[in-house]
Amino acid sequence: MFSSFSIRCLFALTLLGLLASAGWAETDRPSRKRVLHAAVQAGEPFWHQVATGQPNPQVRVREVFSYASTLCQARQYSERLPRLLELATAAQDREVDSPTYGNFRWSLGDRQVTDQNAVEFCVPDAVDWWYQQQAWMAAGKAAVGGRSRNLRAQAFRQQLQALLTRSLAACRRHVVRPEYTNVALLNAGNLIVLGELLERSDAAQEGYQRLEAVACSTWEHGTREYGSPTYYGVNLDALHFIHAYAQRPAGRQLAQAMLELLWTDMALNWFPGRECLGGTHSRSYNFLQGRGGVDRYLWRHGWVSSGWLPSSTAIVHTRSSDFTPSDRLLNTAKSRFPRLVRQSWGSRASESKTHLLYDDVTLSCSGSFFGPQDVPLTVDLPGDRQMVRCYFLPDGRGDPYGVCRQPTGKAGQLKSLHLSPFWAAAQRTCDAVGLVVYRSEDAQQASRPALQSHWVVPRDVEQFRLRGQVVTFPEEQPTTPRQIEIGMLDPLVLRYGTAAIGMRVLWCQASDGRPATAALVDDGNPFGALRLTIDHHREDLSDQAGMAIWIRVGSGLTTERGFVQWAEQFEAENPIDIQTNADQVRFEVPGVDGPVAVQATAPYSRDSRVQLTPLPSASVLELDGQEIGRPLLEAAPAVAAYREQRHQTPVVRVPESGNVLWEAEQGSSSPGMLAQQDSIGVYVWHPPQPASGRPTGQTIWPLSVERAGAYYLWARVLTPDAESDSFYVETRSDRHKASEAAGIWHTGHNRVWRWRRVTLDEASSPTAWWLTGPVTQLVFRTREAGAKVDRLFLTSDAQARPR
């Protein structure tokens, strides 16, 4: 086993080699004084909304805490703090018997708690408020008003401490899966810091355990909420918070390892031509430019030019710890071209992102969909940060640019949610193929009679070529939409500076099974965008609609002749393989560096078989074929230990006969789940903890079967009551084979050790898993603490029972 020190040294040498071409220029980081000044100025409009007796009901409660923290850090306007504490206290659920006790309303005007995550976003600023105000008052420069200053100050501290104590109860009750990266990190950090601040060691221990679970989950499968310009900002908030306030060195080491990974991820995907995070990403709030809350950190550390200034008090989060990303990372982002960045964001093969970056253009695709805020296929071009990027959007709302935000969920948060159809994509360097299939449920979810696929591009390009001929749009914006029809396989090429983008619609089908219409549309929007739109809508929903598109980018085309030659090569007849029938579709194109193909089978669900060429990467973060993400995380001893445990876990070999029995403790357990002994032997469980709800933890057993087929699973369990009688159970196949299932196993009440057959989601028949070859992972995840498993039995005989 490598020591954490040797791993750090190994990675340092590797990174030095990767960055050999980078310079050492210092970034232009804004000073502490400038950050605080910007935050205070950004908070003035907010103060005017809450200073009166009737505050703006739309103000988010988290902004109250952020502004209070800003004032305390800036040592200004202490007389405003009592009003802010009054608003914060009134927004907290203080009913002890309430299921949302300790949590906060999302907005001041809400009548009740509508979002379980609210407390997680409020606590870091509440803690900053506590510590910063104590330091301010200790310096003798703050007052909370009135002649009885000391008494008032003491009462103020007691009120704020009571608010923090109630918040801790809410954070302990809130169970967050490690894969829900941003909230999981906030929750872990809040438990750690509040537990230590309030001298609740049990809560702090739970927080460290949850942080370790997130880090190990990331080591296993990558960052689930990949590349999000919004939620990477939240991740940084949480990690800087832990790094600043956690008292245990192990916790700070974990936070630092994850910070190193996150900043390296951002650096490798950074596109200096537009000073933005380039490439595809999950959970976008800004489709047009791909910007978000992470910009605060990028500005703070000199990655964004000084001409742009954040307009939120949340900028104070950027100075909460002494962690600073290396200038070498930014220099790599600015100098290493071309570079190919690949990273996984889930357990499935298609849950992976590819991003090729040149200095004048980037191309990126995600192998599958994360959710309805995804941007799964993108091209970035150089220009102003306000410039429109190129991106794909599946539209069922008549919102082709993703700009119409609507209230979502109980909290009514404004989001632009598009459809979540079946998506698959593959990329080899400068060529990518994307496939979208709209099922009947997608068409029915459309909020208006519209079902369209859009490929958005900037309007301000130097040249469009369609079928080898230059096409033009008048400079003035139209009052009614203008469009140019595009047929299947028609090559469309645009030129922008020294870069070029080639596009071909390989297939487009409407919801009635007939060919869909495609057109390049200029609708006079105010964003400076054009769109290639495929209209799939028909009144008849008898068939699945869909579209496949081929995107190629070119770089360094400095002359007219060079551009024309590039365009003509893309426009030439090519051996494109297109196969479509009722059972599957397949598209293969001749990429510059080899074939690129996507194949998928009906019914086009999350469990459909997908074959991508080239195979996606399983790396946490990969640069030009070299894994650099996992070594960064392994610098933390907790992750290094988990890695060693995973590598030493014996494989359960399923013989030709199809029957195998093994002990539960043979598996690899992540934080929370552990092996323990009683009179019958050793078993695996997640011990109950006071007020902890349903903590997350898991045990993994790798399986290798000699004969592919359907298998049935039994487990010997002790699950005595309704509070401890279920697990989440799933199989995770080899990343490049689809043989996966997942669900809830309700074991029933078993007050003594008893064999039970695993049947997911209370189905009427036993669950069968289709297992093929090496290596499938069988996973039990905690659903209810206290449930115990002692042995497992796998069989290909539906009638067999363990002895």
Side-chain angles (χ1 to χ4, degrees):
M1 176 178 177
F2 291 128
S3 70
S4 61
F5 175 79
S6 64
I7 291 172
R8 283 195 297 269
C9 290
L10 176 63
F11 179 75
L13 291 172
T14 301
L15 194 58
L16 282 172
L18 293 174
L19 305 182
S21 62
W24 279 90
E26 289 288 329
T27 54
D28 181 21
R29 293 187 179 93
S31 66
R32 177 182 183 276
K33 181 177 180 180
R34 187 179 178 203
V35 171
L36 291 175
H37 177 75
V40 172
Q41 291 298 110
E44 280 304 297
F46 164 80
W47 173 248
H48 292 300
Q49 294 184 73
V50 302
T52 65
Q54 297 294 324
N56 183 345
Q58 302 302 316
V59 167
R60 294 178 300 175
V61 174
R62 60 192 286 194
E63 295 179 42
V64 175
F65 291 99
S66 179
Y67 185 58
S69 172
T70 296
L71 296 184
C72 290
Q73 292 188 56
R75 306 295 195 255
Q76 293 186 37
Y77 302 124
S78 63
E79 69 277 5
R80 297 180 179 181
L81 296 176
R83 171 60 174 166
L84 297 174
L85 182 57
E86 175 190 355
L87 291 169
T89 303
Q92 189 175 38
D93 184 347
R94 289 166 286 165
E95 295 293 330
V96 176
D97 296 330
S98 169
T100 59
Y101 171 72
N103 212 323
F104 295 91
R105 302 196 300 270
W106 190 259
S107 300
L108 292 179
D110 293 341
R111 295 185 177 182
Q112 59 186 2
V113 174
T114 56
D115 192 322
Q116 294 296 320
N117 297 335
V119 67
E120 312 296 357
F121 285 95
C122 292
V123 164
D125 282 316
V127 169
D128 277 336
W129 182 359
W130 170 269
Y131 280 121
Q132 294 293 335
Q133 184 165 333
Q134 302 313 303
W136 190 7
M137 295 184 68
K141 297 179 180 179
V144 291
R147 282 176 273 175
S148 306
R149 176 183 171 190
N150 291 336
L151 290 176
R152 289 180 180 271
Q154 183 178 359
F156 190 93
R157 287 196 299 271
Q158 290 173 346
Q159 292 178 48
L160 186 53
Q161 183 173 352
L163 180 145
L164 294 173
T165 302
R166 292 188 292 267
S167 298
L168 177 59
C171 292
R172 296 199 71 180
R173 189 173 55 249
H174 189 204
V175 181
V176 187
R177 287 192 62 175
E179 296 85 356
Y180 191 5
T181 316
N182 79 98
V183 178
L185 287 173
L186 285 172
N187 175 258
N190 292 341
L191 287 173
I192 290 169
V193 178
L194 281 179
E196 292 174 340
L197 186 155
L198 299 171
E199 299 182 347
R200 293 289 304 275
S201 59
D202 55 340
Q205 173 61 27
E206 193 170 336
Y208 285 112
Q209 192 174 83
R210 294 189 188 188
L211 175 62
E212 189 175 335
V214 178
C216 292
S217 174
T218 304
W219 179 91
E220 192 92 48
H221 299 302
T223 302
R224 181 70 173 169
E225 295 172 319
Y226 69 95
S228 172
T230 298
Y231 291 104
Y232 270 21
V234 179
N235 294 350
L236 288 170
D237 289 344
L239 292 169
H240 278 274
F241 179 63
I242 297 169
H243 193 260
Y245 289 116
Q247 295 177 13
R248 298 185 192 177
R252 294 194 299 275
Q253 287 174 333
L254 272 173
Q256 176 147 340
M258 296 195 74
L259 281 167
E260 295 281 6
L261 173 64
L262 191 52
W263 277 103
T264 305
D265 178 343
M266 292 193 298
L268 297 186
N269 286 290
W270 179 254
F271 182 46
R274 208 164 59 84
E275 291 191 332
C276 69
L277 283 183
T280 61
H281 55 257
S282 67
R283 309 201 66 191
S284 181
Y285 284 71
N286 182 311
F287 294 97
L288 281 167
Q289 291 94 20
R291 294 166 50 193
V294 74
D295 288 348
R296 295 175 285 120
Y297 283 91
L298 302 175
W299 174 82
R300 175 69 178 90
H301 292 287
W303 291 30
V304 175
S305 66
S306 57
W308 177 81
L309 192 66
S311 59
S312 168
T313 57
I315 191 176
V316 297
H317 300 156
T318 66
R319 53 168 301 278
S320 61
S321 83
D322 59 3
F323 178 88
T324 299
S326 168
D327 289 324
R328 291 186 174 189
L329 290 177
L330 181 56
N331 278 285
T332 296
K334 290 181 175 181
S335 63
R336 189 182 176 99
F337 298 110
R339 62 179 181 271
L340 184 65
V341 182
R342 305 201 302 168
Q343 56 200 111
S344 64
W345 50 268
S347 61
R348 298 167 185 260
S350 59
E351 292 175 337
S352 181
K353 167 185 174 178
T354 303
H355 190 193
L356 175 71
L357 297 96
Y358 295 104
D359 61 352
D360 55 354
V361 65
T362 89
L363 171 66
S364 180
C365 78
S366 177
S368 62
F369 254 36
F370 175 91
Q373 291 177 273
D374 281 16
V375 186
L377 180 65
T378 64
V379 171
D380 286 294
L381 295 167
D384 185 89
R385 298 184 81 245
Q386 299 294 332
M387 175 182 166
V388 173
R389 69 199 309 236
C390 306
Y391 59 96
F392 170 79
L393 190 146
D395 180 23
R397 304 187 307 149
D399 179 23
Y401 306 106
V403 296
C404 298
R405 295 191 182 185
Q406 297 176 348
T408 62
K410 293 181 179 180
Q413 298 177 50
L414 297 178
K415 299 180 181 180
S416 180
L417 301 180
H418 55 64
L419 299 175
S420 292
F422 174 82
W423 170 266
Q427 180 177 344
R428 189 190 299 275
T429 61
C430 58
D431 290 276
V433 173
L435 165 69
V436 62
V437 178
Y438 300 95
R439 293 74 51 97
S440 58
E441 59 265 32
D442 299 313
Q444 292 167 2
Q445 287 175 7
S447 59
R448 52 182 292 169
L451 183 62
Q452 296 179 321
S453 298
H454 306 289
W455 174 247
V456 178
V457 299
R459 191 177 194 276
D460 184 22
V461 299
E462 296 173 25
Q463 186 180 118
F464 282 97
R465 288 168 57 106
L466 178 60
R467 297 182 290 272
Q469 301 297 315
V470 176
V471 296
T472 59
F473 288 95
E475 291 186 6
E476 68 278 3
Q477 290 188 334
T479 55
T480 59
R482 292 189 292 253
Q483 62 183 43
I484 300 173
E485 185 175 341
I486 297 176
M488 275 193 284
L489 298 181
D490 282 351
L492 175 65
V493 175
L494 67 82
R495 182 181 185 184
Y496 188 89
T498 60
I501 307 173
M503 298 160 276
R504 284 189 188 225
V505 177
L506 303 177
W507 170 73
C508 55
Q509 181 171 289
S511 58
D512 60 359
R514 298 180 180 181
T517 59
L520 185 61
V521 181
D522 183 3
D523 58 12
N525 64 80
F527 316 118
L530 298 177
R531 53 187 167 91
L532 170 59
T533 293
I534 293 91
D535 187 359
H536 305 281
H537 177 74
R538 301 290 188 275
E539 293 301 327
D540 181 4
L541 300 179
S542 61
D543 210 333
Q544 292 176 323
M547 183 272 296
I549 190 170
W550 172 16
I551 304 293
R552 173 180 289 176
V553 297
S555 169
L557 306 175
T558 57
T559 66
E560 177 69 19
R561 179 178 176 80
F563 167 72
V564 171
Q565 288 179 338
W566 185 94
E568 289 177 343
Q569 181 182 3
F570 181 74
E571 293 161 350
E573 291 293 330
N574 292 292
I576 300 171
D577 181 18
I578 300 176
Q579 302 175 29
T580 62
N581 57 50
D583 298 320
Q584 72 173 25
V585 294
R586 185 177 189 279
F587 306 94
E588 181 177 314
V589 302
V592 170
D593 295 310
V596 182
V598 174
Q599 179 175 315
T601 59
Y604 305 108
S605 67
R606 186 172 183 268
D607 296 320
S608 292
R609 294 180 182 274
V610 176
Q611 295 182 22
L612 304 178
T613 305
L615 292 175
S617 173
S619 296
V620 168
L621 183 62
E622 175 189 299
L623 174 60
D624 294 333
Q626 182 173 3
E627 165 73 85
I628 61 174
R630 286 194 175 94
L632 280 170
L633 290 173
E634 290 162 8
V639 179
Y642 178 72
R643 167 190 176 273
E644 190 66 16
Q645 180 194 39
R646 289 284 289 113
H647 287 181
Q648 292 181 351
T649 302
V651 175
V652 177
R653 303 199 177 278
V654 186
E656 182 73 22
S657 65
N659 295 336
V660 64
L661 183 147
W662 71 95
E663 299 290 337
E665 66 269 19
Q666 290 179 217
S668 171
S669 295
S670 69
M673 196 80 84
L674 54 84
Q676 193 161 317
Q677 187 166 8
D678 67 5
S679 59
I680 63 99
V682 181
Y683 57 87
V684 171
W685 74 324
H686 197 306
Q689 296 175 353
S692 63
R694 297 195 298 265
T696 55
Q698 66 179 19
T699 300
I700 299 174
W701 301 274
L703 310 176
S704 177
V705 300
E706 292 185 7
R707 177 168 54 85
Y711 286 82
Y712 303 88
L713 180 66
W714 293 74
R716 190 168 186 251
V717 295
L718 181 63
T719 52
D721 52 47
E723 304 303 318
S724 58
D725 65 347
S726 65
F727 294 93
Y728 294 109
V729 183
E730 63 184 291
T731 55
R732 301 171 184 165
S733 72
D734 179 278
R735 291 179 60 88
H736 303 297
K737 293 185 175 66
S739 56
E740 300 158 356
I744 299 171
W745 177 33
H746 296 278
T747 66
H749 299 173
N750 301 281
R751 294 182 175 85
V752 296
W753 287 103
R754 183 173 291 138
W755 282 102
R756 292 295 188 190
R757 182 146 48 183
V758 178
T759 301
L760 300 185
D761 301 324
E762 299 182 298
S764 57
S765 58
T767 299
W769 279 274
W770 183 266
L771 304 180
T772 59
V775 167
T776 297
Q777 295 177 351
L778 172 64
V779 184
F780 273 41
R781 289 192 295 106
T782 305
R783 185 170 186 267
E784 293 176 305
K788 302 175 181 178
V789 57
D790 170 46
R791 292 181 177 178
L792 298 104
F793 175 67
L794 189 69
T795 178
S796 57
D797 182 355
Q799 305 304 316
R801 300 176 64 91
R803 296 178 180 179

